[in-house]
Amino acid sequence: MKQCPACGYGNPADRLNCAVCGLGLGGVRAKELPAPQKGPNYMLASGLILLACAALFYVLQNYAWKGEAPAGAAEEARFSYEGTVYSLEKLAGLRYLPAEDKKRVLPLLASPEEKAAFAAAKAVGAWSRGEPDGELRRLWLESLLNASGSGFPSARRQAALEAGFTLALSSSPGPYREKVLAASGALVARSEMELRASGFFLSAMAGLADFVPQMKQALDYDPSYSAKLYAACALSRLGYAEGHAYLDKTVSGGSSPLRGEALACLAYSASPDAENLLTAASADGLDPAAAGSAKTALIFRKQLAIIKK
């Protein structure tokens, strides 16, 4: 750069005359301009500040002192349904419990706790068999049929059994036929033996013979003795001789582990010989447990006959 000595204007180094005042610059020596100084890098500084803030937030979030949990939070986290199950077991025996209180139990049929759902099914079943009001009895029974369609296997099975016991006290399935058929079919289609057996029981207690082929197949070919017994129980209830013959063999076969269950099945059997078998078993002094089961089944069979009249 050549600075004009007259006006002070900074001209380019190759200028011969000042661009402002026209003075000749032949004798003026060119000067080198100082290198421009770089300003502060604000973007880098901002990035470092943000990074520091993020690190501080992480430390505070994960390592800073935290206050104690509110009182009762630990108890709530450890909450179990033991109290609910105990209450349901007690409520099941209350015959004159207000209907509105009973209705509050219905959601527990779908409880996420298996024991609570199981206990709810037993309670609703007990109420359905002792309910004098037709509309409420219908509500209890339909709730059990619905509960047999989903949930824990043990609770589904219990709901089906309770519904079956209730239907056994009726002269016919009546308005429930289609719902019983649908519920039984869903259970019979299951691969679990306990659920299939409860489907057999439910349909047989309602007097429905729609699943007799499946019952006979289970009686003839199922490797499980329990499955055979449940199929025989249902067939005997429906009046099929092969079902009663299997029960007779199980009851008369000595100390079979399924003897008590076979005796219980005879309480519902349509065979006229069932009462004779129960009477003989109730006098068996060699097997007190079986004798007790036979006496209970015999009493229930006689009560059932009275109700049916």
Side-chain angles (χ1 to χ4, degrees):
M1 182 192 75
K2 290 181 179 180
Q3 188 173 10
C4 178
C7 66
Y9 178 75
N11 294 277
D14 59 345
R15 291 283 300 186
L16 298 177
N17 297 296
C18 178
V20 175
C21 64
L23 181 69
L25 301 175
V28 178
R29 187 177 178 181
K31 299 179 181 179
E32 291 185 5
L33 293 174
Q37 295 183 354
K38 294 183 179 180
N41 192 334
Y42 293 106
M43 292 187 65
L44 178 60
S46 300
L48 292 173
I49 292 173
L50 289 174
L51 184 61
C53 290
L56 179 61
F57 178 81
Y58 177 83
V59 171
L60 292 175
Q61 183 74 12
N62 292 278
Y63 299 103
W65 176 85
K66 296 181 180 180
E68 295 182 0
E75 287 76 7
E76 184 177 355
R78 294 194 299 268
F79 174 77
S80 72
Y81 283 83
E82 292 181 4
T84 302
V85 172
Y86 177 81
S87 298
L88 287 170
E89 291 172 350
K90 295 300 181 183
L91 289 173
L94 298 179
R95 183 176 179 182
Y96 299 107
L97 189 69
E100 292 306 314
D101 291 337
K102 293 178 181 178
K103 289 179 181 178
R104 293 190 180 96
V105 173
L106 295 182
L108 290 175
L109 290 170
S111 171
E113 169 60 36
E114 184 174 5
K115 291 181 179 179
F118 182 90
K122 293 194 72 173
V124 175
W127 297 334
S128 69
R129 290 186 290 279
E131 181 59 64
D133 185 277
E135 287 301 317
L136 287 175
R137 186 165 59 250
R138 182 188 184 97
L139 175 61
W140 309 144
L141 180 56
E142 290 184 350
S143 297
L144 289 170
L145 292 174
N146 292 334
S148 71
S150 62
F152 297 101
S154 64
R156 291 182 64 183
R157 177 179 181 271
Q158 191 61 36
L161 295 180
E162 296 293 343
F165 289 138
T166 300
L167 288 166
L169 302 177
S170 305
S171 56
S172 67
Y176 312 110
R177 188 185 191 284
E178 294 304 319
K179 291 187 177 182
V180 172
L181 197 59
S184 301
L187 292 167
V188 170
R190 299 289 298 186
S191 59
E192 301 95 323
M193 182 271 293
E194 294 290 335
L195 290 180
R196 282 191 291 117
S198 64
F200 292 158
F201 180 85
L202 176 58
S203 62
M205 291 300 107
L208 303 179
D210 300 69
F211 304 105
V212 166
Q214 291 93 321
M215 296 174 190
K216 289 185 176 182
Q217 184 178 18
L219 183 62
D220 292 337
Y221 302 111
D222 200 300
S224 167
Y225 287 108
S226 293
K228 289 180 180 292
L229 177 65
Y230 294 139
C233 184
L235 288 169
S236 180
R237 163 70 177 175
L238 294 171
Y240 287 84
E242 55 264 59
H244 180 71
Y246 190 89
L247 294 180
D248 188 352
K249 181 177 68 174
T250 305
V251 169
S252 305
S255 58
S256 168
L258 298 176
R259 190 182 186 194
E261 293 187 55
L263 288 166
C265 286
L266 289 173
Y268 302 95
S269 175
S271 172
D273 189 45
E275 189 165 336
N276 294 331
L277 283 173
L278 288 173
T279 302
S282 65
D284 188 352
L286 299 178
D287 192 345
S293 297
K295 290 176 183 177
T296 301
L298 192 59
I299 292 171
F300 187 81
R301 183 177 178 84
K302 291 180 178 179
Q303 291 176 339
L304 193 61
I306 294 172
I307 294 172
K308 289 283 188 177
K309 288 182 179 180

